[in-house]
Amino acid sequence: MTEPLLKVEGLKKYFPVTGGMFGRVKGQVKAVDDISFYVNEGETLGIVGESGCGKSTTGRMLMRLLDPTEGKVTFDGQELTSLSASEMRKARRDIQMVFQDPYASLNPRHSIEKILMEPLNVHNIGDPKERKRKVHEFLEIVGLSSYHAKRYPHQFSGGQRQRIGIARALMTNPKLIIADEPVSALDVSIQAQVLNLMQDLQRDLKLTYIFIAHDLGVVRHISDRVGVMYLGNMAELADTESLYEKQRFFRQCLYRTLILSAKKW
């Protein structure tokens, strides 16, 4: 059996609660409390849960945008939690992130060409001519046009901006993309287009996704397996069909119970 692309073991993130005149630590908020899971190459793991359950914090820890309090993250055989800042910067070439708010994650003072070229500059990929060609290529891949490269983020709709965010994540040819609620800020009609785009990209570019969301329907549409988070814990982890079949069964049981109770009254 092949090793998973990503393996998470005992991951924790505690935030201190301070108070009083001297700002002493009074307690801890357990945003993520000892979760473990794995992601195989080429699959999509959905992480779903209500607001505040720790799913976005988990995504940021996998990228080391937040340092974990405790735990181990192994990506492609390399332990990320022990890397220095410069080593982690190199590792991010293979792990990219798509953020929830497509406008806030794009620098409004930079053109789209400069935004998309930045990952190539950071990781020293290609010469200026090759970088420009790649920017135009990936704009076409995500459903935009090469002439959009000279425009600025405010000149695009929310769906177009999220396509630009996806293009930026693809610029370094990553193995894993962490999508943090990438369609929650979009209209329902646009959500389907972006989800279908992500599935096409996964098939064509052989991508692996961690898809974070609170919408059960969206997660079901795109995920192979689903992890349900609650109060910082991974309450359940199962393949998509069995998880939703179980949900349907409990909903039917609840409905029958309510009907019987109503008849008794």
Side-chain angles (χ1 to χ4, degrees):
M1 186 177 177
T2 57
E3 283 292 310
L5 180 65
L6 180 79
K7 191 175 182 181
V8 176
E9 300 170 90
L11 196 64
K12 298 180 182 180
K13 183 61 180 179
Y14 297 168
F15 293 99
V17 178
T18 58
M21 186 180 295
F22 301 104
R24 292 174 179 166
V25 176
K26 290 185 170 183
Q28 293 178 320
V29 175
K30 297 181 179 180
V32 177
D33 192 18
D34 195 14
I35 65 169
S36 300
F37 60 89
Y38 65 90
V39 186
N40 291 317
E41 190 170 356
E43 80 166 339
T44 300
L45 174 69
I47 299 180
V48 68
E50 61 186 5
S51 297
C53 70
K55 56 189 188 295
S56 292
T57 302
T58 300
R60 282 167 167 73
M61 282 194 288
L62 299 180
M63 284 285 293
R64 282 281 301 277
L65 299 178
L66 285 173
D67 284 323
T69 303
E70 197 177 305
K72 186 178 176 183
V73 178
T74 306
F75 173 75
D76 203 16
Q78 184 178 36
E79 189 184 339
L80 301 184
T81 44
S82 62
L83 298 182
S84 65
S86 59
E87 289 171 333
M88 189 62 212
R89 194 176 297 115
K90 292 177 184 176
R92 288 196 187 106
R93 177 172 177 166
D94 291 325
I95 312 173
Q96 289 291 313
M97 194 163 190
V98 178
F99 295 93
Q100 178 178 0
D101 187 343
Y103 189 68
S105 63
L106 302 176
N107 192 327
R109 295 194 174 113
H110 290 174
S111 68
I112 300 308
E113 183 174 81
K114 189 170 183 180
I115 288 170
L116 296 185
M117 210 175 278
E118 187 174 8
L120 303 177
N121 294 334
V122 168
H123 295 286
N124 198 26
I125 300 172
D127 58 37
K129 189 175 180 180
E130 290 171 337
R131 292 170 188 171
K132 192 169 185 177
R133 179 193 58 76
K134 195 165 186 177
V135 166
H136 292 173
E137 178 189 343
F138 274 93
L139 280 173
E140 299 280 352
I141 284 173
V142 298
L144 298 173
S145 299
S146 56
Y147 65 81
H148 286 133
K150 297 299 181 186
R151 296 186 180 180
Y152 288 81
H154 72 272
Q155 295 176 289
F156 294 90
S157 67
Q160 289 175 320
R161 284 197 288 261
Q162 196 57 288
R163 288 173 185 267
I164 294 164
I166 292 169
R168 179 177 59 182
L170 295 172
M171 294 303 292
T172 60
N173 298 320
K175 296 178 182 178
L176 173 67
I177 289 182
I178 300 168
D180 184 11
E181 304 206 35
V183 297
S184 63
L186 307 178
D187 292 338
V188 175
S189 59
I190 306 301
Q191 285 183 7
Q193 294 176 21
V194 173
L195 289 173
N196 290 335
L197 170 65
M198 292 182 71
Q199 287 182 311
D200 292 342
L201 292 170
Q202 183 176 34
R203 183 190 65 242
D204 297 340
L205 303 177
K206 296 178 172 59
L207 297 170
T208 303
Y209 288 144
I210 293 177
F211 193 93
I212 298 168
H214 63 267
D215 188 322
L216 290 168
V218 168
V219 171
R220 183 177 190 175
H221 179 75
I222 200 169
S223 303
D224 300 304
R225 291 186 300 123
V226 179
V228 181
M229 287 194 69
Y230 180 68
L231 297 179
N233 296 290
M234 190 69 77
E236 191 164 2
L237 183 59
D239 67 271
T240 305
E241 285 310 310
S242 64
L243 184 75
Y244 281 83
E245 190 60 41
K246 191 185 297 182
Q247 180 198 44
R248 191 181 299 114
F249 172 74
F250 282 119
R251 191 164 57 238
Q252 288 171 348
C253 289
L254 178 62
Y255 180 71
R256 289 192 191 111
T257 304
L258 290 172
I259 293 294
L260 289 172
S261 299
K263 285 181 177 178
K264 285 180 182 179
W265 283 99

